[in-house]
Amino acid sequence: MPPTLDIDQLYRRYGPLVLRRIRGFFRDPAEAEDVLQEVFVRVMESSDSFRGAARPSTWLYSVTTRHCLNRLRDAKRRRELLDEHGTAMGWGASAESAQQPAQLLIKQVWRELDPELLEMAVYYEVDGMSHGQIAELTGVSRRTVGNRLAQLAERAKDIGGGAR
Amino acid sequence: MSFLFARDGHLLELGIDGLLAEELSAAERAELDQHLSTCAACQARVDEARALMAQPLPALASHTAETEEIKPPDLEQEWSAANNNRLWVATGVLLAVAAALLVVVLPSGSQPEAFTARGGELSLEVYRQTAGASQLLLDGDGAAPGDTLGFRVRLSEELHFALVGADSNDAVYAIWPPQGGSAAMGPMQAPEQLAAAIQLDATPGIERILAVACDAPFQLSDEQVLSISEAGDAPQVQEGCAQELVRLDKARP
C-alpha cells in the first residue's frame, strides 16, 4: 500500500475491477459509470481504512458492494430494479453457486433486511463466500455471520425459498 | 483468509479480481491456475473479466471535482448574507430501506456537488436528491435554490445523535430527530439514510449542517449551533462527542 492515497493511480489500476462489480448491480452502462464515480468519492473519504486494508481489491470490493446496496436501497431505485430485472441481481456469481433461488430469496426479503444482513446475504448467497470470508470482509466474527445468516435461512423457510 | 474460492469450489469474484490486479501470492496463483486448467466455466469468467478490464475507463470526474472544491467557502463574505425563509419539514424514521422520504422546505440557493466529512465514530453524508439519483455534497460546495438535500449517517456504535441545520439567516432547525434533542441510534456498519430531508430556498448565504453524536443524550442550543466559526470549527457540545459539519454555499453555483 502506498503511504498516501494516490487516487488517480488507484482508479487506473482498480477502476475496471470496481466497475465490473458495479455492473453486477446496475446494468445500465451510464448508471454504472455514475456509481463508479460515487464509489471513488467514497474511497477518498475512507482513505484511513483503506490504508489498513490487506489488499486494495478486497477493500474496494466491500466498499463497492456496500455503496451499491445503499444506492439500491433507495426506495425508488429499488422499485425500478425489481421491475426491470425481475428475477436477478445477476452479477457474476461463482460459476454454479448463487443461482436463481438464492438471488430470488434476497430479492424477496431484502426490504426487510438490515444493511449488515443484506450485505452478508449477498456475499453468501450470491457470491458464494464462506462464513469466514464474510467475517473478514465485514469485520465481524464468524459466529455473528453464522447467526445472522441463520436468520436469513429462517426467513427463507417462511417464504419457501432455498437458503443453503 | 483466502478469497480465491467460493464454497462450491469455483472461483470467487474476488479471486478473479486478485488475479487481474496481480495481487495473488505465488501459491495462490498456482492454486488458481490449477483450477482454471480444469474448469471451463471459471476460465470463461476470467476471460470475460479480462475483456471488461481492457475497455477504457471514464475520466474520474468526482476526483477532479473534489480536489478543486475542497477549499472552504468564503464564509466571511457569506456569513451575513440575506434572509432566508425556512420551512422545514423533517420526519420519519431511519433507514431508506423502507421509508418514503419526507422532504422539508428550507431556504437557500446555489449549486451543489460532493459530500462530507467524517469523524472517528460518526460519518455524515449530505447529498442532493434529484430524480432517480443522488449527488454527494462536500463541505464548501455550492447549493442551488430548491435543492432537496438528503442525509446518510453511520455510527460505529450506539450513540445519541442529532442533525441540525442553520440557514444563512441564523435560523436553527432540527433535522433529526425531527422534534429536536437527540435520539439513540446505531451501530450502523454502513451509512443509512435518514427519513428526513430539507429543501433549500433561494436566499444566498451559507447553510450549515451539523451532525453530533455523543455517549449520552444531549440538547443542542441555537447558540452552540451558531457558534460554528468561520473557519468551520464546530461547537464543543460536551465531552466525548463526535461531530461533522458541512457548509453549503448557496451563492456559489
Side-chain angles (χ1 to χ4, degrees):
Chain A
M1 301 292 295
T4 56
L5 187 61
D6 183 337
I7 195 71
D8 289 315
Q9 187 187 37
L10 198 72
Y11 183 73
R12 279 195 300 275
R13 180 164 180 190
Y14 295 98
L17 296 179
V18 171
L19 184 57
R20 192 167 84 86
R21 179 64 170 170
I22 292 168
R23 284 183 178 170
F25 292 87
F26 301 96
R27 293 181 176 181
D28 175 62
E31 184 171 20
E33 289 187 3
D34 287 346
V35 178
L36 177 66
Q37 303 290 336
E38 293 170 6
V39 167
F40 272 85
V41 168
R42 183 168 298 278
V43 165
M44 287 184 277
E45 181 196 25
S46 310
S47 57
D48 285 350
S49 60
F50 174 77
R51 285 189 196 87
R55 280 183 179 169
S57 65
T58 306
W59 184 80
L60 285 166
Y61 193 83
S62 61
V63 168
T64 305
T65 301
R66 277 175 212 144
H67 185 80
C68 289
L69 290 174
N70 283 341
R71 204 175 203 269
L72 289 171
R73 205 171 285 125
D74 174 275
K76 186 172 183 298
R77 268 306 301 158
R78 184 181 63 242
R79 197 168 162 178
E80 286 170 3
L81 177 92
L82 295 179
D83 290 342
E84 284 168 17
H85 300 306
T87 53
M89 289 154 53
W91 58 87
S94 115
E96 288 164 15
S97 65
Q99 295 301 323
Q100 296 293 36
Q103 295 180 14
L104 208 54
L105 167 66
I106 292 172
K107 181 174 84 76
Q108 285 175 305
V109 301
W110 84 327
R111 282 165 206 265
E112 303 163 30
L113 303 184
D114 61 76
E116 181 186 71
L117 182 52
L118 179 58
E119 185 183 353
M120 289 179 183
V122 167
Y123 292 146
Y124 188 79
E125 299 289 358
V126 180
D127 290 330
M129 289 184 190
S130 67
H131 288 193
Q133 288 166 334
I134 297 170
E136 183 159 325
L137 214 51
T138 57
V140 301
S141 68
R142 285 184 191 216
R143 184 185 180 130
T144 299
V145 172
N147 290 340
R148 305 264 16 229
L149 290 175
Q151 295 170 9
L152 185 68
E154 280 303 310
R155 184 73 187 97
K157 280 185 201 159
D158 293 344
I159 65 170
R164 294 163 293 172
Chain B
M1 174 63 61
S2 167
F3 286 96
L4 275 189
F5 295 107
R7 301 194 307 281
D8 61 6
H10 291 282
L11 284 181
L12 281 174
E13 287 299 299
L14 258 176
I16 297 175
D17 281 359
L19 171 70
L20 299 180
E22 299 176 344
E23 288 179 342
L24 302 182
S25 67
E28 286 175 320
R29 181 61 197 261
E31 252 191 298
L32 187 144
D33 286 342
Q34 186 179 8
H35 178 76
L36 289 180
S37 67
T38 59
C39 181
C42 286
Q43 183 61 60
R45 290 167 60 211
V46 169
D47 293 342
E48 191 182 349
R50 278 195 205 283
L52 188 61
M53 293 281 287
Q55 293 176 11
L57 264 188
L60 185 51
S62 56
H63 172 46
T64 310
E66 190 189 1
T67 48
E68 283 169 2
E69 65 210 356
I70 248 174
K71 52 184 183 206
D74 185 354
L75 294 180
E76 212 158 354
Q77 241 183 11
E78 319 284 354
W79 214 240
S80 55
N83 29 356
N84 272 351
N85 246 339
R86 171 176 63 95
L87 317 171
W88 67 277
V89 188
T91 217
V93 194
L94 257 195
L95 259 200
V97 185
L101 254 201
L102 286 193
V103 178
V104 190
V105 187
L106 265 198
S108 287
S110 230
Q111 222 172 39
E113 285 266 315
F115 63 51
T116 320
R118 96 192 260 116
E121 298 176 326
L122 158 72
S123 70
L124 167 69
E125 294 176 358
V126 178
Y127 59 93
R128 183 174 69 167
Q129 296 174 319
T130 55
S134 61
Q135 183 181 20
L136 290 166
L137 297 175
L138 285 173
D139 184 32
D141 278 337
D147 275 351
T148 298
L149 305 182
F151 308 93
R152 292 193 189 106
V153 172
R154 188 186 72 80
L155 297 169
S156 59
E157 56 194 275
E158 183 173 319
L159 292 168
H160 295 268
F161 173 81
L163 183 65
V164 298
D167 64 26
S168 48
N169 207 27
D170 282 351
V172 176
Y173 52 93
I175 301 173
W176 196 267
Q179 71 276 13
S182 61
M185 283 169 42
M188 306 146 175
Q189 191 175 36
E192 293 182 5
Q193 184 174 320
L194 295 177
I198 61 172
Q199 189 170 41
L200 302 176
D201 76 359
T203 308
I206 301 296
E207 198 79 29
R208 290 148 282 178
I209 309 291
L210 177 67
V212 179
C214 303
D215 294 335
F218 62 93
Q219 175 84 42
L220 282 173
S221 68
D222 288 5
E223 290 69 29
Q224 284 176 314
V225 176
L226 294 174
S227 70
I228 296 169
S229 77
E230 292 177 12
D233 296 326
Q236 196 60 45
V237 179
Q238 59 190 49
E239 204 62 31
C241 294
Q243 44 203 44
E244 296 290 350
L245 171 67
V246 174
R247 294 159 298 168
L248 301 176
D249 185 346
K250 292 177 287 180
R252 189 162 59 83

